[in-house]
Amino acid sequence: MSEEETDVMIGLETHIQLDTETKLFCGCPNEEAEEPNTHVCPTCLGHPGSKPRLNKKVLEHAVKTSQALQCDVNEEVFFSRKTYFYPDLSKDYQITQYEVPVAEDGEVEIKVGDEKKDIGITRLHIEEDPAKTRHKGGDIGNSDYTLVDYNRSGTPLLEIVTEPDFTSPKEARAYLQQLAQMLEYLEIYYPESNFALKSDANISIDGGQRVEVKNITGTAGIEKALSYEISRQKQLKKRGREVSQQTRSYNQNQEITEKLREKETEEDYGYIFDPDLTTQELDEEFREKLRAEIPELPHEKFKRFKEEYGLKDKLVEALVSVPEMADDFERLAEEFDTNLAASWMVGELKKVLNYNEVSYDEVNVESGAPDFLYVGLRVVLSHLEAGEFNQRKAEKYLRDFVEQGLDPEKEFSIDDPKADNIDLGLNLKDYKKSGDDEITEFVKEAIDENPDAVEDYNSGDEEAVNFLVGQVMSISQGKADPKTAREKILEELE
Amino acid sequence: MNLREVVEGEKQVDHEEFLSELKEKNQELNFMREITQESNTGELNGIPFIAKDAICTEDTTTSAGSQILENYQPVFDATVIERLKESGASFYGKTQQDEFGFGTFSTNCAFGTPKNPHDKERVVGGSSGGAGAVVAAMDKPLISLGESTGGSITNPAAYNGVVGITPTYGRVSRYGLVDYANSLDKIGVLARTVYGTAKGLEIIAGEDENDQTTSSKEVPNYSENLDETEGRVAVPKQYLELDGVEEGVMENFQDSIDELKQRGFEVEEVDMPLLSADIAVPAYYVLAMSEASTNLAKMSGMRYGMEKDPEDFEDFNEYFSEVRSEGFGEEAKRRILLGTYTRQAGYRDQYYIKAAKVRTKIINQYKEVFEEFDAVISPSMPNIAPKIEEAEDMSPSEIYAMDTLTVGPNLAGMPMISVPNGKSEGMPTGLHIVGDHFNEQKILDIAYTYTGGDSQ
């Protein structure tokens, strides 16, 4: 059987840790703590007599996300207790939603290459995260002892469950990337934060048994985990063996999946309504208020950018991938050629950022100026359009600008981006092209000082011109335009 | 000396005398789980208060009558404790109770069975048995906090011949109550007089941000508003036809009806089919046990419950099982097993979900009656307090049947009060008065009228 014929079905259950100020059911700070078990209180430790109280902000996040995923939001929702015994649960039950989740029945369109596909969203619900466990000296089955840190206990999670609509690891990855981007637009999730996005995947091939792979972190991990699992299942089939229904975990270091347990029957959690939490009404007014807060989402922005600016798909995709970059682009597009602006933002600037290992929004935050990159780009684009920068100089300027701006010693302030001197100590003169007369001087100097090269040229070695251009560039300290220099050298040598 | 006289400043509590009497009586009757003394001043003028052991107290262990929590020391006071202390009441300790509230007679206590002050061979009632007995035993003004899930306040009130009020569900914060069945649990007050229960309730009632199920409705000044009243009360036919109501109990109830009529009340029989023993009782036990089994999950020896040496066990499951087998009493284990069963996939629709629907119907039935009547009355318990050994010989289902009169209104979350209405074979009996949601004032007033303005 060839690979293409394999009928793969994948469904994802994704947990998003929400970056709220306080935990889901108590007032403890929802943030990383220096010491274990310091951000805890009777409620998240499950003390007898303690009671949960709902953080309403989480409900807002959940409803917004539901609407963005085109789900039907339920009018009345409540919470349930899911009982199981495991050392990470302080109460030995988890508060989650079972019968009636916040929302059901949504849809999201993904794109892999040029292919578009709709992925069904089964449900979206809220639940609390359990504590963190560390099994010392092995995994849970054979460790010497287990440490439990309850700082994470009660952190809010959104769980988004898809239909088994994915047919390849690439699609699953595209979905997660799109989901992460959408959540970022909704200001619910920030990829830079410590709040993780974790998925459990259900995979079956050729209509065989379903295997669940748990705890796959991030968007890159999903593709690797699924690829491994699919090839494992294929190998089994090839050797004539059955794929058994089991639960596996993803080992991120070795990039393999490992068997956790053979699953013969569904686990029975004995759900009941949580009688400590009241029913929450998500009425039309509440939903309308939140709907109004939803910004233009990435796919909508993509569509509009295509129509308004007529850019290539790749450029738009990259611009839209960072909300702040998309906003800056729109401002720059009012002043400059849209293609020039877009290709500089997506091309040269991205290289500089990657080199410095910072993201678009981080630079702005670190520099202390929200418009930092916008200002830098304006300087570059305006001088490029005026023909005052050449490509290489502009790149250098942008690199220096970002790097100087990241230096905590430097204070950033540019009142007038067109001004010649800015506080970062970058002198625009250093980046500008040399004038024609000046280049003529440099060319003469290069020719005078390199009679050997001139001789080589005269004896038919055209490569010698390149050497002379290099000399002009070095004498001009890079200010000369290499194209003009070449023309002038050839003129002189004729 | 009564509670009103202390509140109004006419008399003072002698704390030394109170403490020594408490200790002395307890030697004999074992109604206290732990005795402490903590004085306070304020509106309540140092009136002693005592709490059922399931109510968390910061400086006193809180075991909920269970061995598994024997040494558990809460890190906070329950809201009701905080409110009483702030009002100037003085805390005197914790009372014996059935383990986690699981019982009708306080014969399921991990720390010994308390004895009835009227007859030491008899039970005190459950599950807030100690809380009822201490009021009867101490001839002093005293506020005793009980907790009712299916009748645990009005039951011991009747058996001990004291007044006990169970408020509307949501009227009093459950924050700091070691949960039995959260959708049914209510903290209430036992005292010698209707006035005492009214005073205690007005202090502990009211919205609490730590308990989302509390109501924001304003709390009336129950004690100041107490007034003699008239009205219409209903007697459910199903209660009159109930098997196993003792003759003496029924006679006292008939006398109560006559007394109420004399005081200007109209009394009428009504048909409330859902209150019959084979509907309300099973629905109550299914819901209560389902919730209880999840509440008790945390008592696994992981964070709560007794500790064992993990080295002795193969894995976590074995460890948890051992702790729970040893730490829980027989009735707790029975309820955990039954409660786990009724909420399991495949059975939950048949039991848990169905019971929840029955509850809604019972509420609606009460609501219909309250459109025409001010209260529903019945005997509080079908019998007088049985002898301890008789109680211990009863089968669980016989015991559950004893709750028939109290589980209906408890399931519906209605407020109810039990006032003494005479004696049978030398033991007290009680009159049960059930009112509409948040209509505590009305049942207090009826009880006040019935007792002749607390002049007894």
Side-chain angles (χ1 to χ4, degrees), chain A residues 324 328 331 364-365 367-374 412:
Chain A
E324 214 178 321
D328 282 353
R331 291 158 77 193
N364 284 342
V365 172
S367 66
D371 283 339
F372 181 76
L373 286 177
Y374 169 71
F412 175 82

Side-chain angles (χ1 to χ4, degrees), chain B residues 275-395:
Chain B
L275 295 185
S276 66
D278 55 349
I279 298 176
V281 174
Y284 163 77
Y285 275 102
V286 166
L287 287 176
M289 290 182 189
S290 299
E291 291 181 24
S293 64
T294 64
N295 286 324
L296 296 192
K298 71 176 66 164
M299 260 57 94
S300 64
M302 179 65 207
R303 283 197 53 78
Y304 309 101
M306 54 177 57
E307 257 178 65
K308 295 251 157 203
D309 184 354
E311 295 286 329
D312 300 343
F313 301 93
E314 266 299 300
D315 57 30
F316 288 116
N317 284 335
E318 208 183 89
Y319 173 86
F320 294 156
S321 299
E322 180 65 23
V323 165
R324 292 162 72 76
S325 300
E326 197 179 318
F328 287 130
E330 196 192 338
E331 186 59 25
K333 282 183 220 171
R334 181 176 297 117
R335 295 197 188 197
I336 290 169
L337 288 175
L338 284 171
T340 304
Y341 176 80
T342 53
R343 60 186 167 85
Q344 235 165 29
Y347 300 105
R348 62 194 298 278
D349 285 354
Q350 212 177 324
Y351 296 104
Y352 174 70
I353 302 287
K354 200 173 192 176
K357 287 181 181 158
V358 170
R359 167 170 22 197
T360 309
K361 290 194 167 160
I362 289 178
I363 293 172
N364 293 338
Q365 195 173 82
Y366 268 107
K367 287 287 181 190
E368 268 177 43
V369 171
F370 287 128
E371 276 178 21
E372 279 185 63
F373 296 91
D374 299 303
V376 170
I377 60 166
S378 71
S380 301
M381 289 299 286
N383 54 358
I384 57 165
K387 296 222 162 105
I388 293 172
E389 54 196 44
E390 284 169 12
E392 284 170 349
D393 283 346
M394 284 187 205
S395 72

Side-chain angles (χ1 to χ4, degrees), chain A residues 42 45-51 53-54 81 83 85-87 90-93 98-99 140 146 148 150 268-273 275-278, chain B residues 56 72 75-76 169 174-177 179 182-183 209-210 212-213 290-291 294-295 297-298 300 302-304 316 320 324 343-345 348 352-353:
Chain A
L45 288 174
H47 277 237
S50 65
K51 303 273 180 283
R53 46 180 206 275
L54 180 66
R81 293 177 172 181
T83 312
F85 288 89
Y86 197 75
S90 60
K91 304 182 288 293
D92 288 310
Y93 65 78
Y98 178 60
E99 279 90 349
I140 183 151
T146 296
V148 187
Y150 290 91
D268 193 344
Y269 296 113
Y271 290 96
I272 61 164
F273 315 127
D276 284 329
L277 289 155
T278 50
Chain B
C56 286
Y72 178 64
V75 296
F76 62 95
Y169 181 80
R174 293 178 294 111
Y175 186 73
L177 173 69
D179 308 297
N182 319 48
S183 75
E209 61 163 20
N210 287 323
Q212 291 203 325
T213 62
S290 299
E291 291 181 24
T294 64
N295 286 324
K298 71 176 66 164
S300 64
M302 179 65 207
R303 283 197 53 78
Y304 309 101
F316 288 116
F320 294 156
R324 292 162 72 76
R343 60 186 167 85
Q344 235 165 29
R348 62 194 298 278
Y352 174 70
I353 302 287

Side-chain angles (χ1 to χ4, degrees), chain A residues 416-455:
Chain A
D416 175 10
K418 296 256 183 184
D420 227 21
N421 287 298
I422 60 172
D423 295 0
L424 289 173
L426 303 176
N427 191 338
L428 282 179
K429 276 192 191 128
D430 295 342
Y431 301 93
K432 282 191 177 161
K433 276 187 196 171
S434 303
D436 267 13
D437 291 352
E438 215 180 336
I439 294 181
T440 309
E441 288 298 310
F442 295 146
V443 167
K444 279 184 179 152
E445 196 180 331
I447 287 174
D448 287 351
E449 282 177 11
N450 297 285
D452 291 354
V454 176
E455 206 171 298

Side-chain angles (χ1 to χ4, degrees), chain B residues 2 9 43 76 113 126 142 166 178 193 200 244 268 307 310 320 325 339 355 386 419 427:
Chain B
N2 63 37
E43 189 207 348
F76 62 95
T113 303
L142 165 67
T166 304
V178 178
T193 57
E268 254 178 68
E307 257 178 65
F320 294 156
S325 300
V419 287
M427 292 301 292

